[in-house]
Each structure stands twice: as C-alpha cells, then as structure tokens.
Amino acid sequence: MQAIKFTSIIQNVIPLCHDVKQVTLSIPPNFTFTPGQFVSLLLDIDGKRVVRPFSIASKPSQSSIELCIKIVQGGKASPTINNLKKGNSITFLGPGGHFVIIEQSQKNPLIFISTGTGIAPFRSMIYNLLEKNFSKKITLLTGYRFEENCLYEDEFHELEKKYKNFIYKRILSRPKKGSGGHVQELVKKHINQDTDYYICGLKAMVNEVKDLLLKEGVLMKNIFFEKYD
C-alpha cells in the first residue's frame, strides 16, 4: 500500500532493556505492511518537524504494530520518545521502505544478521515466514555488547523449540564471563553459497559483513541490507 499519514494511540510501552523500548501502536483499518518495512514518527520539537523512521517489529497478522526503539543519549528526538506513555496520541507516516524478502528468497535458505535494534525487521520477517510454513532453513545471527542488551531472546528460543527449521545464535562483544566476539565471527561459521543473506544494523557492521560474504564467494545478488545510520 502507499504510505498514509495517521494518528496512532499508544497501547503499551515495555522496556526491553535499559535503553530500548517496545512501543505498541494502534493502526487504522486500511493499514497494511510487508515485513521489513518501517513507519516514520512525526514530531514537532522546538517548532521544527523531526522525522524518525522505525522498523516494524511485529507480524502483519496483528491488529496493532510494535516498534523496537533505542533511546539515544543526547539524541534530538529521544527525550520526547522516552516520555511516551500508554494512551498518548502520536502521528506516523507509513509504511515505507524496500528492505523486504524478495521473491527469489522464497526458495532459498535464509540467514538474518543483526546487531542491536537491527533485529526489529527480522522479528517481523521470521514470525511471518514461520507462520506461513516456510520450509527452508532460517538462521538468525545477532550480536550485542552485554547480556542485558539482548532483545527478544526468550521468544527466539521458543521458536527454536517449535520450528525445526529455525536456528537462533547470538554473540556478546563484552560478556561477563569468557571471551567475547562480534557477529562477524558467527557469520564466518554460516557461509553457504545457496543462501540469501539479510543484514541490518549500523553502517560499519553492515559493510563489514557484506565485504566478508563477498570475500567468501557469496554473490551480491544474494546479499540484502539496511543501514540504521
């Protein structure tokens, strides 16, 4: 569907960790989206329009949408977003974006690679694929700094138990015990030529993973990405 401007009512706000919140929003009856797309929050701050895009983290079958929002210290919009409460009304524009699972990927094993809140579009994609009985292997590789930064981990472990074709792996760069590492190290262990790779996170990570895949012989036509900065 084309992007529409709509006023949403906040149905719930849940802290996922110390600097990430899940915000649940009402949507109009005519609102639909494809997993991987985003909505843009429209704010008026100090008399100026501020626009902030957020990937939709929920599945299309829900009657509301969920956003996974990082509260950035010193960010222009973060103080306003951090003060959002259940029952508040807020204006959005969406859906937007083309970071979606393309037709070719419906036939291939999939590997999703993320750091931080880059996991949001993959949560939507994975739920949607599994509920629609996608038969190929789905692997989610995620990286975080600390254990307490991990997002939706219990959910993904439950999906592993329920669906034989879903695998969840995560790595910590600063674990309390043992040696740490980055998501690139997980990627090195999961390189296959017949697989499509979807990458989401900050620019440096996305570029490093993309270059790693290309160096290992993965074709550019099998690599898809979205950068959050």
Side-chain angles (χ1 to χ4, degrees), residues 65-89:
I65 58 173
E66 294 165 353
L67 308 181
C68 179
I69 301 177
K70 181 176 177 64
I71 306 301
V72 180
Q73 188 172 9
K76 188 172 184 178
S78 283
T80 300
I81 295 172
N82 196 34
N83 288 326
L84 294 176
K85 301 288 191 299
K86 182 177 179 179
N88 290 165
S89 62

Side-chain angles (χ1 to χ4, degrees), residues 46-217:
D46 298 329
K48 295 182 180 180
R49 170 61 59 87
V50 176
V51 181
R52 290 291 183 270
F54 298 104
S55 295
I56 300 171
S58 47
K59 46 195 174 185
S61 58
Q62 292 181 202
S63 58
S64 58
I65 58 173
E66 294 165 353
L67 308 181
C68 179
I69 301 177
K70 181 176 177 64
I71 306 301
V72 180
Q73 188 172 9
K76 188 172 184 178
S78 283
T80 300
I81 295 172
N82 196 34
N83 288 326
L84 294 176
K85 301 288 191 299
K86 182 177 179 179
N88 290 165
S89 62
I90 197 161
T91 303
F92 282 90
L93 180 69
H98 304 284
F99 185 60
V100 299
I101 296 173
I102 67 169
E103 186 175 352
Q104 105 181 2
S105 298
Q106 302 292 339
K107 304 173 184 177
N108 295 335
L110 300 175
I111 293 183
F112 299 113
I113 304 156
S114 71
T115 51
T117 55
I119 203 167
F122 297 149
R123 180 175 181 252
S124 180
M125 291 176 180
I126 289 166
Y127 268 114
N128 191 57
L129 287 166
L130 293 174
E131 288 185 354
K132 291 186 174 181
N133 298 314
F134 182 80
S135 61
K136 299 292 185 178
K137 186 177 178 182
I138 301 171
T139 304
L140 173 61
L141 308 177
T142 67
Y144 300 96
R145 286 188 178 184
F146 308 105
E147 183 96 32
E148 54 267 29
N149 294 139
C150 296
L151 304 173
Y152 303 115
E153 185 146 272
D154 290 343
E155 288 186 22
F156 292 126
H157 284 313
E158 286 301 313
L159 289 177
E160 272 193 305
K161 295 176 184 177
K162 185 175 181 180
Y163 297 95
K164 300 296 185 183
N165 61 324
F166 176 66
I167 296 172
Y168 170 65
K169 300 288 184 183
R170 64 103 159 124
I171 193 168
L172 303 176
S173 62
R174 300 180 185 178
K176 293 178 181 177
K177 295 181 180 180
S179 58
H182 295 89
V183 74
Q184 291 89 326
E185 294 169 46
L186 292 180
V187 174
K188 289 177 184 178
K189 299 176 182 179
H190 292 82
I191 292 179
N192 299 293
Q193 302 306 317
D194 63 342
T195 297
D196 281 358
Y197 294 82
Y198 286 77
I199 317 164
C200 188
L202 297 179
K203 178 169 59 178
M205 182 280 290
V206 172
N207 288 339
E208 287 179 21
V209 171
K210 175 171 64 70
D211 291 345
L212 169 63
L213 293 172
L214 292 172
K215 183 180 179 181
E216 294 295 328

